[in-house]
Amino acid sequence: MRIGALEAGGTKMVCAVVEEGQVTERISLPTRSPAETMPEIIEYFAAQQVEALGVGSFGPLDLDRNSPTWGYITATPKDGWRFYDLAGELQRALDIPVALDTDVNCAALGEARFGSCVGLDDCVYITVGTGIGMGVLCGGRLIHGMQHPELGHIPVAPVFGDNYQGCCPYHGRCLEGMASGSALRGRWGIPAQEMADRPEVWQLEAEYLAQGIVTCILAYAPRRIVLGGGVAHQPQLLPLVRAAVTRQLAGYVSTEVVKDMDSYIVAPALNDNQALLGCYELVRDPSVQG
Ligand code: ZN
């Protein structure tokens, strides 16, 4: 089966074809306004003659199948995309079934079925880039409730000596406000990738990410956590995060799984195809959405 996969991001739209669990075609388009970007996406998938489409999108999204606005991107600050009927537009234009979930839920699903969490029904994917998001697969289902979880915005305690006020327009010092790529740039004045040789930057970053991860461990008891996204490409970060998580847990959760921290918190294993493969899985196995 030839399935289309769309990873809809705030800066780029990655369009791909997935067959038998392999990405066989892939292009990337800049995200502009819907009027400019949607026709390009539709043209691509129409030409590829896909039979169905899985979409992993930036949010927030309405994922309630009983809601009249299911499939909409809702309260995003991104120009033109606010209350935009993403899934509906694609469905009408392509006349094929469309499945939708968040980009991070799709990445969690992709890693669970094809990557670093194969065989696990309980895992979390965290992306640390411009913003922070977490996708949660729990008992083999992607978590939804009245909407999807928004773990990038959980409160964190300021680390002693850090006076940065945070960059989240809603909460200031939430996890995203203190540890996203935007926060790193705001606190230190230069982009994350230019601070690779400054240990104090990464130690502080690890302290905040660990707070988010500890909350996630306590809330969802995942069997593995994948740390991805542009900021997490810094190779020095992962060992610091593992150490900080162990310290912050303070022995309270001490299963054998958590004691083996090197295989508990891991890097993605799918070369940036994790969300696309998750889109494919949404179509192939709709039961994962409950
Ligand atoms: Zn926030």
Side-chain angles (χ1 to χ4, degrees):
M1 194 176 178
R2 210 170 152 76
I3 293 177
L6 168 61
E7 183 181 0
T11 54
K12 62 180 180 179
M13 297 281 181
V14 182
C15 306
V17 177
V18 186
E19 296 171 279
E20 308 289 334
Q22 300 286 335
V23 176
T24 54
E25 303 274 344
R26 177 189 163 118
I27 62 160
S28 179
L29 306 165
T31 303
R32 295 173 289 158
S33 71
E36 292 166 299
T37 304
M38 290 297 283
E40 295 177 347
I41 293 171
I42 289 161
E43 186 185 358
Y44 174 82
F45 285 117
Q48 292 291 343
Q49 299 188 314
V50 294
E51 296 164 61
L53 178 65
V55 182
S57 177
F58 70 95
L61 303 173
D62 185 345
L63 297 176
D64 179 355
R65 279 280 181 184
N66 297 317
S67 161
T69 53
W70 172 84
Y72 279 57
I73 296 171
T74 60
T76 177
K78 193 156 176 58
D79 268 354
W81 296 93
R82 195 175 165 81
F83 293 100
Y84 181 75
D85 184 8
L86 178 65
E89 289 294 334
L90 291 166
Q91 206 156 33
R92 284 188 289 277
L94 294 165
D95 196 24
I96 54 175
V98 173
L100 173 73
D101 213 307
T102 62
D103 45 7
V104 279
N105 267 351
C106 287
L109 180 58
E111 289 289 343
R113 297 289 169 82
F114 300 101
S116 56
C117 301
V118 167
L120 301 181
D121 280 340
D122 304 280
C123 63
V124 169
Y125 184 92
I126 305 175
T127 182
V128 187
T130 312
I132 293 183
M134 296 195 207
V136 183
L137 186 73
C138 204
R141 300 266 173 94
L142 294 170
I143 287 196
H144 306 122
M146 60 172 184
Q147 56 162 54
H148 45 84
E150 286 281 7
L151 289 152
H153 293 270
I154 55 178
V156 289
V159 172
F160 182 76
D162 179 23
N163 296 318
Y164 182 56
Q165 292 304 301
C167 67
C168 176
Y170 295 90
H171 318 111
R173 298 174 121 182
C174 65
L175 180 61
E176 179 170 301
M178 295 303 266
S180 62
S182 310
L184 282 167
R185 192 185 191 117
R187 179 187 289 110
W188 303 98
I190 42 178
Q193 62 270 25
E194 293 172 23
M195 298 188 284
D197 58 349
R198 292 177 59 181
E200 73 279 15
V201 170
W202 303 104
Q203 186 59 54
L204 187 63
E205 178 69 3
E207 291 299 326
Y208 285 116
L209 291 179
Q211 289 191 43
I213 289 170
V214 165
T215 298
C216 158
I217 292 169
L218 297 173
Y220 298 112
R223 295 178 194 276
R224 190 163 293 151
I225 293 168
V226 185
L227 188 60
V231 172
H233 283 162
Q234 294 286 333
Q236 68 271 45
L237 185 58
L238 200 46
L240 294 172
V241 169
R242 289 175 181 137
V245 168
T246 300
R247 183 166 25 78
Q248 290 181 24
L249 277 174
Y252 186 70
V253 176
S254 57
T255 62
E256 293 305 314
V257 173
V258 165
K259 282 180 187 164
D260 184 7
M261 197 50 81
D262 287 355
S263 54
Y264 187 57
I265 304 177
V266 300
L270 294 169
N271 298 321
D272 287 337
N273 281 333
Q274 52 270 31
L276 295 171
L277 290 168
C279 293
Y280 165 82
E281 276 297 288
L282 282 187
V283 173
R284 204 194 58 78
D285 177 15
S287 70
V288 75
Q289 289 191 297

